Amino acid sequence: MCGITGYIGKSEAVPIIIEGLKRLEYRGYDSSGVAVIDRQRIWLQKKEGRLACLEETLNGYPRASLGIGHTRWATHGVPSDANAHPHTDCRGEIAVVHNGIIENFARLRKWLQENGHVFTSETDTEVLAHLVEHYYQGSLEEAVRLALQQVEGSYALAVICAREPDKIVAVRNQSPLVVGVGDGEYYLASDIPAILNRTKQVYLLEDGEMVVLTEDGVNITNGRGQQVAKDIFSVTWDAEAAEKGGHPHFMIKEILEQPRALRETLRGRIRDDRVEFSEVDLDCLLDGVEKIFITACGTAYHAGMVGKQVIERLARIPVEVDIASEFRYRDILWGENSLLVVISQSGETADTLAALREAKRRGIRVLAVTNVVGSSVAREADSVLYTWAGPEIAVASTKAYSTQLLLMYLLGIYLAQRRNTVPPEVTGALVRGLAMIADKVETVLQQAGTIERIAENYAGTQSTFFLGRGLDYAVALEGALKLKEISYVHAEAYAAGELKHGTLALIEKGVPVIALVTQDELEDKMMSNIKEVKARGAVVIGLGKEGRGELKQEADELIVLPDEDPFLTPILTVVPLQLFAYYMAVKRGCDVDKPRNLAKSVTVE
Ligand code: AGP
């Protein structure tokens, strides 16, 4: 997820563009850049690091009144000056900024290079600049339209050309893009916050729409080149609310972003009912692997708990999961055919990084699963699979967790494909299920109101228990952590079968127990556990699938999940638990995005 901006009007473009990028840093901040047209030439500056690093290079910027800008969250190519946007064509006459993922960039890059184009970055975006150059015959909008006919993927794209110094061409396809309308000046932005201090009058572009901005105004056409008449949208939010998409907290925004994050993480990784990782060669890493260790911290560790069950069931490879702060001091029985998988949203967690380095020291192969391109774990692992969730700002991890789960499923299926441990019709069905999982998460999110009501009913509780068996137990661990870390309510997740070995003593009248009942073969056992706690006065909040008659009868509150293969259900099950924790914390007046004592990335031991 990146942020793009653009400006055309009567004022100096650079300060306006930089100001807009500052308001988009929540969308990405590992590098940034700006390009303007000054006396028929493109003037461009771009820099790795936060926006402040770019600002330091802007002394003496030209007084141009047309330009584009970009703040990056890397997906292809590590954060660096060369990989920062804007990217230009061979002659430096065309500049582009882009938010999204070009799925077929490798093939396009090869074809362009064969046609004499010289690339200066590792990014997918740069192919767009050279494609526009290839098709440019005097009309920038026509060249952009022809170029995009070759492109597969998502983009919000803005393009300027020195030969047409009075226009900005922009197109939206699956990545957001808005147009701001001022008094004789016009703005482009990935999101409303970037321009809110300049105008509250915006056009919200739809997929396939192209906009041409000139001093004379805004011209919007659809994918067929037909004029589009659009109503102006008047923004009622203030700037801070706008960064959260109009939501009160980043956490709820990121919970609601999960369908998009799942789709982006899946993009380009499934084809013809099979999993493929075209972005990295996993084969030499995975050849001969006989034992897998997974290590991580907190929420990432909980994703590893699901990963263990998924990989063992599909790939028939034994998997050990360990909290990184324990793992790094354990006397690990490494084998020469061991693989270590480290999971880390930030890619900078000290204990996880230390475990990675210990494994490398022993010559063990390491695969990283992380959300930050160019992070320490990404750089130091032998291979890396990225969750493309976009920046996660709230301390409580939500969309990173669900996309980590998705990668665990993709890895498990990929291993099963390589080892032929599961019939293709089984892995094919799972791939089709994952292709639909984002839609099902959207269905679950529609129950936010019900979950808010339930959370408010129990907001005064001092202690809550989460019960589950099998995959549900692994997800229960995550639900308990979410509740603890943002609402400060004591919460424990327990393997339901373990209750009678002690914890049952804590169950008394009125204690809320969240019971996860999604695993068909364990349903009867779970129902027995629910009756056990109810007999001691517990209030049971059941979480299960439609039509589970006994659960509906026994639970005091019921959160219903859409019908799904129990094996894939963890990606759905966690969503109500995230919402429950969120609404509980809001009701208790907690600082949801920045809970006490906690940091977003624990880079110290
Ligand atoms: C998750 O809600 C917590 N903020 C925390 O447990 C986090 O998952 C843990 O610190 C690991 O962080 P990482 O994924 O960046 O390594």
Side-chain angles (χ1 to χ4, degrees):
M1 189 158 80
C2 305
I4 70 174
T5 61
Y7 171 76
I8 181 168
K10 304 180 287 285
S11 308
E12 291 178 7
V14 170
I16 293 172
I17 288 168
I18 295 301
E19 194 179 333
L21 293 180
K22 280 179 183 166
R23 296 172 186 275
L24 291 177
E25 277 207 292
Y26 71 89
R27 297 181 62 83
Y29 42 75
D30 60 46
S31 53
S32 59
V34 58
V36 298
I37 296 181
D38 176 38
R39 298 188 299 270
Q40 307 269 336
R41 295 174 62 83
I42 286 186
W43 178 91
L44 184 151
Q45 286 287 4
K46 55 186 187 174
K47 196 77 185 149
E48 181 185 351
R50 298 299 292 250
L51 192 54
C53 301
L54 173 68
E55 288 186 280
E56 290 167 7
T57 71
L58 296 179
N59 298 326
Y61 63 80
R63 300 305 183 246
S65 60
L66 180 148
I68 54 178
H70 185 273
T71 184
R72 186 171 183 238
W73 183 261
T75 55
H76 294 69
V78 296
S80 66
D81 294 359
N83 288 336
H85 303 206
H87 289 288
T88 61
D89 66 324
C90 302
R91 299 190 190 88
E93 292 180 344
I94 294 167
V96 306
V97 290
H98 164 236
N99 171 33
I101 291 176
I102 307 299
E103 288 177 43
N104 61 335
F105 87 96
R107 180 171 58 80
L108 291 171
R109 182 184 176 110
K110 184 170 180 293
W111 177 73
L112 286 160
Q113 286 172 322
E114 287 165 355
N115 283 274
H117 290 265
V118 178
F119 282 74
T120 58
S121 82
E122 306 161 306
T123 66
D124 55 336
T125 299
E126 192 182 352
V127 299
L128 297 171
H130 294 284
L131 275 175
V132 174
E133 175 188 14
H134 178 82
Y135 287 105
Y136 188 78
Q137 302 283 331
S139 161
L140 184 57
E141 50 268 45
E142 192 52 31
V144 171
R145 202 181 295 281
L146 290 171
L148 292 176
Q149 286 172 6
Q150 308 304 320
V151 168
E152 296 167 16
S154 58
Y155 45 83
L157 170 68
V159 188
I160 59 177
C161 175
R163 298 186 201 180
E164 297 181 62
D166 60 354
K167 80 172 60 163
I168 301 175
V169 174
V171 184
R172 174 203 156 127
N173 182 42
Q174 299 176 42
S175 293
L177 192 60
V178 300
V179 176
V181 179
D183 178 12
E185 44 194 359
Y186 304 94
Y187 308 87
L188 263 182
S190 294
D191 206 352
I192 287 169
I195 54 177
L196 205 48
N197 62 318
R198 309 289 298 187
T199 178
K200 289 182 180 281
Q201 307 306 311
V202 300
Y203 289 112
L204 304 174
L205 295 186
E206 305 292 334
D207 282 354
E209 290 182 342
M210 174 186 278
V211 61
V212 178
L213 299 184
T214 65
E215 284 181 348
D216 302 331
V218 179
N219 181 295
I220 301 173
T221 53
N222 63 21
R224 293 180 299 283
Q226 300 158 330
Q227 292 296 323
V228 172
K230 248 181 199 309
D231 295 332
I232 281 265
F233 171 70
S234 295
V235 182
T236 55
W237 307 323
D238 62 25
E240 193 209 344
E243 279 195 30
K244 297 163 190 163
H247 299 294
H249 302 102
F250 277 110
M251 183 177 177
I252 187 65
K253 176 172 179 277
E254 289 158 7
I255 290 172
L256 297 174
E257 273 180 355
Q258 289 182 109
R260 180 200 59 75
L262 289 164
R263 291 187 180 107
E264 289 296 324
T265 300
L266 204 54
R267 187 184 297 281
R269 289 168 162 163
I270 57 174
R271 187 184 297 272
D272 303 332
D273 284 356
R274 288 175 61 82
V275 170
E276 56 184 35
F277 290 113
S278 56
E279 76 265 30
V280 64
D281 173 11
L282 286 183
D283 291 336
C284 55
L285 184 85
L286 300 178
D287 273 348
V289 166
E290 292 171 358
K291 173 76 177 277
I292 293 176
F293 294 89
I294 300 176
T295 196
C297 300
T299 287
Y301 164 69
H302 297 150
M305 293 280 284
V306 173
K308 167 186 168 64
Q309 297 188 50
V310 166
I311 294 170
E312 286 186 339
R313 191 178 307 176
L314 292 178
R316 315 309 295 165
I317 298 175
V319 180
E320 274 187 41
V321 191
D322 229 329
I323 293 169
S325 55
E326 291 295 310
F327 183 77
R328 58 185 291 206
Y329 299 111
R330 213 155 57 80
D331 185 7
I332 305 293
L333 299 177
W334 298 112
E336 63 183 42
N337 291 321
S338 297
L339 170 71
L340 174 65
V341 177
V342 295
I343 305 173
S344 176
Q345 188 283 130
S346 63
E348 302 299 343
T349 299
D351 285 317
T352 307
L353 198 49
L356 180 156
R357 288 169 177 162
E358 175 60 15
K360 294 285 289 178
R361 192 176 65 80
R362 293 165 177 267
I364 302 296
R365 292 171 272 184
V366 180
L367 171 65
V369 170
T370 185
N371 195 40
V372 182
V373 174
S375 60
S376 296
V377 301
R379 286 197 309 272
E380 297 185 32
D382 295 300
S383 288
V384 55
L385 291 176
Y386 288 112
T387 51
W388 287 330
E392 190 176 65
I393 308 296
V395 166
S397 187
T398 52
K399 61 179 183 174
Y401 173 79
S402 52
T403 52
Q404 286 162 0
L405 290 193
L406 178 56
L407 276 186
M408 291 295 105
Y409 283 105
L410 293 175
L411 181 61
I413 294 168
Y414 186 75
L415 284 163
Q417 287 169 188
R418 284 172 48 85
R419 300 162 57 91
N420 296 312
T421 42
V422 170
E425 54 270 19
V426 172
T427 49
L430 291 174
V431 169
R432 288 192 297 275
L434 293 176
M436 302 294 293
I437 205 78
D439 300 344
K440 301 227 174 144
V441 169
E442 280 169 347
T443 303
V444 178
L445 289 169
Q446 288 164 11
Q447 293 195 66
T450 301
I451 297 161
E452 179 176 12
R453 177 186 56 74
I454 295 173
E456 290 182 345
N457 286 349
Y458 300 97
T461 185
Q462 293 309 308
S463 183
T464 302
F465 292 86
F466 292 72
L467 299 184
R469 288 173 176 257
L471 287 168
D472 280 342
Y473 169 51
V475 178
L477 289 166
E478 176 56 13
L481 174 61
K482 285 282 101 38
L483 186 61
K484 274 184 276 197
E485 68 174 323
I486 62 169
S487 71
Y488 315 147
V489 170
H490 175 260
E492 282 191 66
Y494 251 81
E498 190 61 7
L499 264 179
K500 62 180 77 60
H501 298 284
T503 306
L504 200 52
L506 294 176
I507 303 296
E508 56 191 10
K509 185 166 174 47
V511 169
V513 172
I514 295 174
L516 281 56
V517 190
T518 73
Q519 302 302 300
D520 296 347
E521 79 274 9
L522 297 168
E523 181 175 344
D524 293 344
K525 298 285 186 190
M526 273 306 295
M527 291 314 302
S528 301
N529 296 133
I530 287 171
K531 288 169 184 161
E532 280 168 14
V533 296
K534 279 192 66 71
R536 275 101 182 148
V539 174
V540 172
I541 300 166
L543 205 157
K545 283 182 272 190
E546 191 84 46
R548 284 288 183 268
E550 204 182 357
L551 178 62
K552 196 169 184 176
Q553 188 182 339
E554 286 296 327
D556 298 286
E557 304 275 5
L558 184 62
I559 299 168
V560 177
L561 293 172
D563 194 34
E564 178 55 88
D565 178 341
F567 189 61
L568 299 180
T569 303
I571 296 178
L572 305 182
T573 314
V574 71
V575 175
L577 305 185
Q578 295 167 342
L579 289 168
F580 181 78
Y582 171 75
Y583 289 121
M584 184 83 96
V586 168
K587 184 70 178 173
R588 292 167 67 95
C590 298
D591 184 346
V592 173
D593 286 335
K594 298 186 180 67
R596 68 187 181 198
N597 310 340
L598 300 179
K600 182 57 186 169
S601 179
V602 183
T603 55
V604 294
E605 293 179 16

